[in-house]
Amino acid sequence: MSCCVLQITGLIFGGVGMLGALAATAMPQWRVSAHVEANLVVFESVWEGLWMDCISQLGLRLQCKLYDSVLALPPPLEALRALMCLAVLLAVLAFLVAIVGVKYSQPGQEGPRAVSPFILAAGVAFLLTGGLVLVPVSWTGGAIVRDFYDPAVPVPLKRELGAALYVGWASGALLLAAGAMYC
């Protein structure tokens, strides 16, 4: 019975983590403009994401623009995009394998024979996906904090942690928890 509860809980955590990874990948709020020093009246907020930049004017008007060319992107942004897309694909695959594993596990039996090979595969995939989500999110967060405290970076170019990073961290934690439950 406890095995089935862990599998269902892992499936729920994995599903929510998968959706969170997809949301974090699509959200434009990875880096948001920082309002520091004498910049008390703010008319614009800048959001930078993996796919687009957005400008919010007075909180009333939001204008977003997709990046013009993949070839013109800086290499770190290309790497972040690739890792997050790979993580989303692996999360979907892990979730589907987990569904199959829950369906074909043998209720009523305890021990190693009751565990479907799909369950173990889903656990490993969820663990790998959680790591893949945490790497680009933490990398971006570290770069934002480093640049924020760097006196060489001009004040208008300083950024703060955006909502997408928090969604990514939570998703990575849920995916790791799902993988731990399946393993």
Side-chain angles (χ1 to χ4, degrees), residues 26-115:
M27 290 172 70
Q29 297 101 340
W30 278 62
R31 300 164 38 101
V32 297
S33 56
H35 306 296
V36 292
E37 293 183 4
N39 206 2
L40 296 177
V41 180
V42 179
F43 295 107
E44 287 186 344
S45 292
V46 178
W47 300 344
E48 298 172 5
L50 297 179
W51 309 100
M52 68 183 81
D53 285 337
C54 297
I55 296 176
S56 173
Q57 297 170 342
L58 292 174
L60 300 173
R61 183 173 178 216
L62 181 66
Q63 184 177 10
C64 294
K65 182 179 182 292
L66 293 172
Y67 295 128
D68 292 329
S69 170
V70 175
L71 300 175
L73 294 175
L77 185 58
E78 289 178 10
L80 296 175
R81 274 183 167 188
L83 285 172
M84 287 304 291
C85 288
L86 182 62
V88 168
L89 289 174
L90 189 58
V92 170
L93 181 65
F95 186 70
L96 294 174
V97 170
I99 289 172
V100 171
V102 168
K103 182 178 179 180
Y104 289 110
S105 63
Q106 302 169 4
Q109 285 187 347
E110 295 294 328
R113 290 188 180 158
V115 177

Side-chain angles (χ1 to χ4, degrees), residues 17 20-21 24-25 30 80 83-84 86-88 126-142 164-177:
T25 303
W30 278 62
L80 296 175
L83 285 172
M84 287 304 291
L86 182 62
V88 168
F126 277 135
L127 288 172
L128 183 59
T129 302
L132 279 175
V133 169
L134 290 176
V135 166
V137 170
S138 298
W139 183 3
T140 302
L165 297 181
Y166 296 108
V167 171
W169 280 316
S171 300
L174 286 171
L175 290 164
L176 289 174

